[in-house]
C-alpha cells in the first residue's frame, strides 16, 4: 500500500436518473459527460488530469495536486448551472438534467484495488447523497445545479477568497442516519436568492419543549444556521457564471 496523497475530491450526481427509461439514461450520460468537459474547460480546469470513477448517473473525481481549489469551488458549479440551463431549454421534464455537486479534501490512497480508499472520498459521497442537498435542489426548481462543500472547504476557500459570497451559502447539518453520517456542510444554489424576488424560505417549526434555533431557518424541511441567501451575485469585482 502506497502512502496517501492529500487531494481535492469532487462527487457529482444526477437528479432522478433512475426514473428515466433506457433511452433517456443513455442520452443523459452523453450530455453529462459533454457538460462536465465544457464546464471544466471554461472554468480553467484540466479534466484530463482528473482520476475519474464513473457511475452512470454521475462520477467521483480525484483532482491533481496542482488544481486551483478556487476554480473548483468558485467557478465550476455556476458554469455547470448555466450550461445545464442552456441544455435543458425545450426538453420535456423527464429529459432535463439537474446535478448535485459536492467538494471536500483529504488524504486519498490512489492505489486501491477497486477504487480510492479514503475517508475523504466517503465523506464527499455522503455529502452529495445527503437528503439535505437533495431537498434543497428539489425546492429550488429554477436552478439546475446545487453545490455542497465541507466545513473545511468553506472555511479555507469560500471565507477567505469569496469567489462565491459566503452569505450566499446555507449552513446545514448533513445527515444520513442509516450510514451513521453527520457533518456540518454549506450549500449554495446558483442563481437563487432569498427575499421577495426569490424562493420562499419557511420559518422554523416550534417543537415543544425544545425552543426553535435562535438564528435558524428551514428550507423545505432542512434546518440551516447562519446566512441563508442563495445565488451568485457579483462582489469585489468577481463574476463567475
Amino acid at each position: 500500500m502506497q502512502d496517501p496523497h492529500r487531494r481535492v475530491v469532487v462527487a457529482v450526481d444526477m437528479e432522478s436518473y433512475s426514473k428515466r427509461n433506457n433511452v433517456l439514461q443513455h442520452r443523459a450520460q452523453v450530455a453529462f459527460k459533454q457538460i462536465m468537459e465544457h464546464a471544466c474547460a471554461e472554468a480553467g480546469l484540466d479534466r484530463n488530469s482528473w482520476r475519474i470513477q464513473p457511475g452512470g448517473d454521475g462520477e467521483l473525481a480525484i483532482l491533481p495536486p496542482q488544481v486551483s481549489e478556487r476554480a473548483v469551488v468558485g467557478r465550476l458549479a455556476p458554469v455547470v448551472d448555466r450550461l445545464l440551463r442552456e441544455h435543458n431549454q425545450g426538453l420535456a421534464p423527464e429529459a432535463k438534467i439537474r446535478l448535485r455537486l459536492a467538494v471536500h479534501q483529504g488524504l486519498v490512497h490512489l492505489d486501491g484495488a477497486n477504487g480510492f480508499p479514503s475517508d475523504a472520498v466517503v465523506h464527499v459521497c455522503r455529502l452529495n447523497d445527503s437528503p439535505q442537498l437533495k431537498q434543497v435542489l428539489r425546492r429550488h426548481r429554477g436552478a439546475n445545479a446545487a453545490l455542497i462543500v465541507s466545513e473545511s472547504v468553506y472555511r479555507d476557500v469560500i471565507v477567505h477568497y469569496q469567489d462565491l459570497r459566503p452569505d450566499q451559502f446555507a449552513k446545514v447539518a448533513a445527515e444520513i442516519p442509516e450510514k451513521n453520517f453527520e457533518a456540518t456542510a454549506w450549500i449554495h444554489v446558483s442563481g437563487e436568492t432569498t427575499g421577495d424576488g426569490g424562493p420562499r424560505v419557511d420559518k422554523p417549526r416550534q417543537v415543544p419543549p425544545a425552543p426553535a434555533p435562535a438564528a435558524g431557518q428551514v428550507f423545505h424541511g432542512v434546518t440551516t444556521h447562519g446566512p441563508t441567501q442563495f445565488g451568485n451575485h457579483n462582489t469585489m469585482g468577481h463574476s463567475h457564471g
Side-chain angles (χ1 to χ4, degrees):
M1 181 175 65
Q2 299 176 358
D3 288 339
H5 300 265
R6 186 166 296 278
R7 298 293 181 87
V8 173
V9 290
V10 178
V12 187
D13 203 17
M14 195 181 307
E15 182 183 62
S16 302
Y17 177 81
S18 61
K19 297 180 180 179
R20 305 165 195 260
N21 62 33
N22 291 354
V23 173
L24 291 180
Q25 287 185 13
H26 188 280
R27 292 176 182 171
Q29 287 190 17
V30 172
F32 170 81
K33 185 175 180 180
Q34 293 175 343
I35 287 167
M36 290 301 299
E37 289 174 351
H38 293 163
C40 286
E42 189 170 329
L45 299 167
D46 180 13
R47 186 170 166 83
N48 291 328
S49 65
W50 293 17
R51 292 176 178 250
I52 297 175
Q53 185 174 301
D57 59 346
E59 66 182 30
L60 167 69
I62 313 299
L63 277 53
Q66 70 274 16
V67 71
S68 168
E69 294 186 36
R70 288 183 65 182
V72 174
V73 177
R75 302 177 197 166
L76 187 58
V79 173
V80 167
D81 180 79
R82 178 176 56 77
L83 293 177
L84 285 173
R85 187 165 63 250
E86 296 171 359
H87 170 80
N88 289 335
Q89 287 185 23
L91 294 181
E94 63 272 17
K96 292 182 178 182
I97 298 175
R98 304 175 79 226
L99 297 178
R100 304 188 308 274
L101 298 91
V103 182
H104 184 41
Q105 58 79 32
L107 294 176
V108 181
H109 286 278
L110 303 177
D111 61 338
N114 193 36
F116 304 102
S118 166
D119 180 70
V121 166
V122 172
H123 192 96
V124 78
C125 290
R126 295 286 188 260
L127 289 180
N128 187 269
D129 200 39
S130 65
Q132 289 73 26
L133 182 61
K134 293 179 180 180
Q135 290 167 6
V136 166
L137 186 58
R138 284 196 299 265
R139 181 71 184 87
H140 299 288
R141 301 309 303 177
N144 294 282
L147 169 69
I148 187 170
V149 301
S150 63
E151 174 76 2
S152 63
V153 170
Y154 178 82
R155 182 181 62 247
D156 292 346
V157 183
I158 298 299
V159 171
H160 285 285
Y161 299 102
Q162 302 192 24
D163 298 295
L164 297 175
R165 280 171 40 188
D167 64 349
Q168 294 169 351
F169 281 76
K171 185 178 182 180
V172 300
E175 297 177 304
I176 305 180
E178 63 272 22
K179 299 291 187 178
N180 294 317
F181 176 78
E182 181 178 355
T184 298
W186 296 80
I187 295 177
H188 172 84
V189 182
S190 298
E192 298 294 336
T193 59
T194 60
D196 295 338
R200 177 176 56 84
V201 179
D202 298 326
K203 295 181 179 179
R205 292 182 300 172
Q206 300 291 335
V207 183
Q217 289 184 298
V218 176
F219 290 80
H220 194 58
V222 181
T223 302
T224 68
H225 305 279
T228 55
Q229 186 176 34
F230 289 102
N232 184 24
H233 297 282
N234 192 22
T235 181
M236 298 192 301
H238 296 294
S239 179
H240 302 294

